Every structure is written in structure tokens, then in C-alpha cells.
Amino acid sequence: MTGRLIGVGVGPGDPELVTLKALNALKAADVVAYFAKEGNDSKARTIVETHLNGAEELPLLYPVTTEIPKEQAAYRDAIADFYDVSAAAVASYLDDGRDVAVLSEGDPLFYGSYMHIHVRLSRRYPAEVIPGVTGMSGCWSSASAPITQGDDVFTVLPGTLPEVELERRLADCDAAVVMKIGRHLPKIRRACERAGCLDRAIYVERGTMTNSAVMKLTDKLDMTAPYFAIVLVPGWEERR
């Protein structure tokens, strides 16, 4: 008998948004694995740290994040090797019959690193995915901003896209969320302006966390944003 692989969504940051099912999985797991940049704390682990009950911990430490452009072969090779090694580390516990819960901020299958473990191991081992509250839903709730209604077309965009592509896609939808902001904030602001949605765009930083900030994108005057930042473009604003 092998152990079970469990992808555990822990939500966008507020520990009270962790689901009961996620907490039960953490209590039952033999091993809790989580991703982090080497030298930094794991945000997912921080969210649930008060609920860790002595299970063995398995940090999975990224070799690179933003040091190399993601378009370069060196980045792709390093990240692919990292996920291979991480999956092998998790598999070693599964082979010993131990259940492994892999933490994921937000939802495990929505821009989550867990999915790279899942696709490598779920055909060989029993696997379960526990959904989590997404970062975007946490942010529009923090902003009290209705996003879509009726037949609105809703689009999720990574801020890493080329500026012209961001502009095209923003102009072609009713509502949008732009993720992965960071150093791409000036480009996103320009794309929103040319797409005609800058006046209704909302900037949310660390949504649901104790140090969150919400403002109109036009009021965000500096050029940088943290990893946990999102731009919301509501499609519902002019209707009742």
C-alpha cells in the first residue's frame, strides 16, 4: 500500500479562509510539503502554521524565481528539474505508505505549483485535490467589488504577457483580473489606459491579509507591487 498524495488549497492569506476539509487533511497527513524560495518563508505554511500537528515537514525550495527571464531555456530547464526532484522527494514518502499533503496558496490547480507535482505523480499514486479560496475572489471580496453578472465575459490574465497582448485582451472582455503584478505594474497600467478600462480598474495588495491595501489603480502612483497583488477590472460597475 502506498500513501496518498493530497493537494491542499489554503486560500489567499487569511487563516480563517482555510476550509474545514483542508484542516482535516492537515491533521491526518503524515508529511506536509510546501514550496518556498530558498531563504524565504513559505506563505502557504504561514497561513496554516497554527494547525500543523507535528507532521514531518518537507520544504520544496525553488532554485530560481525572477533571477532569470522565464522565456530563457536556462529558466525552463531549472524549473523542470526542480519539479522532477520535488516529485521524487514526495514519491519517496508515498512509497513508504505515508500520506503527503502538499500546500498551495489559493487553489492548487489555479496557477499553483502543486499541479506540477500532481501531473507527475497522480497516475502512480492515489491522489486528491482539496480546493481553496482563490486569491482573486479574496481580492474582489476585500475590495467589495462586484465583478461579473449575466453574460459578462470574464478573463484572467497574467501580467507577464506582452503589453500589446494585455491591451488586446483587456479591450475584448467585460471584466478581468490581472495577476502576477510585481515589476509589471507600469505596463499593466498603460495597457488598461489604452484598453479604456483604467478608470474602473482597482489595485488590491495582499487581499484578505492584515496588511492589505485597496485603491483605484490611478491612485497607485509608484512603479512596483509585491507578489501578492492583483488588478481587478469590474464589468458590473455601470449596471444595477
Side-chain angles (χ1 to χ4, degrees):
M1 293 291 292
T2 68
R4 290 188 308 135
L5 172 66
I6 312 166
V8 181
V10 298
D14 183 348
E16 293 187 356
L17 292 177
V18 179
T19 66
L20 292 174
K21 190 166 187 177
L23 292 179
N24 288 334
L26 291 178
K27 291 175 184 176
D30 300 301
V31 180
V32 175
Y34 45 83
F35 294 92
K37 177 65 186 296
E38 189 165 6
N40 294 345
D41 293 333
S42 163
K43 299 296 192 300
R45 185 192 182 282
T46 299
I47 293 169
V48 298
E49 63 182 345
T50 59
H51 302 289
L52 299 178
N53 292 323
E56 183 172 347
E57 298 187 19
L58 174 62
L60 305 171
L61 304 178
Y62 297 109
V64 293
T65 51
T66 59
E67 297 87 349
I68 304 173
K70 66 182 181 64
E71 298 82 10
Q72 291 189 11
Y75 176 89
R76 296 193 298 270
D77 292 345
I79 289 298
D81 289 345
F82 164 68
Y83 287 129
D84 287 342
V85 170
S86 297
V90 171
S92 68
Y93 288 100
L94 299 174
D95 288 335
D96 286 341
R98 305 176 72 182
D99 294 343
V100 181
V102 183
L103 306 183
S104 180
E105 298 150 31
D107 184 271
L109 300 183
F110 184 73
Y111 288 113
S113 294
Y114 166 76
M115 69 180 67
H116 298 281
I117 304 298
H118 187 84
V119 298
R120 285 165 169 80
L121 299 181
S122 59
R123 293 184 181 181
R124 295 163 46 196
Y125 303 95
E128 177 184 5
V129 180
I130 298 175
V133 176
T134 62
M136 61 181 179
S137 61
C139 285
W140 63 57
S141 297
S142 293
S144 297
I147 295 297
T148 59
Q149 71 159 351
D151 296 326
D152 282 349
V153 175
F154 174 65
T155 301
V156 179
L157 299 169
T160 52
L161 287 175
E163 187 170 334
V164 66
E165 186 69 5
L166 279 171
E167 178 188 350
R168 181 183 73 81
R169 291 178 179 268
L170 285 166
D172 197 37
C173 68
D174 301 301
V177 166
V178 186
M179 305 180 67
K180 303 183 179 181
I181 305 299
R183 65 184 184 278
H184 303 286
L185 181 61
K187 172 180 69 176
I188 294 165
R189 186 187 286 114
R190 292 191 300 268
C192 285
E193 183 172 20
R194 289 199 296 270
C197 60
L198 180 61
D199 60 335
R200 69 180 197 272
I202 302 168
Y203 172 83
V204 184
E205 184 174 297
R206 301 183 179 92
T208 81
M209 302 181 193
T210 55
N211 56 346
S212 64
V214 179
M215 66 191 75
K216 292 179 66 66
L217 182 55
T218 51
D219 294 334
K220 173 68 174 170
L221 301 179
D222 57 329
M223 296 292 107
T224 60
Y227 176 80
F228 287 99
I230 279 180
V231 170
L232 309 172
V233 181
W236 202 76
E237 188 177 38
E238 300 302 323
R239 286 165 282 176
R240 299 291 184 267

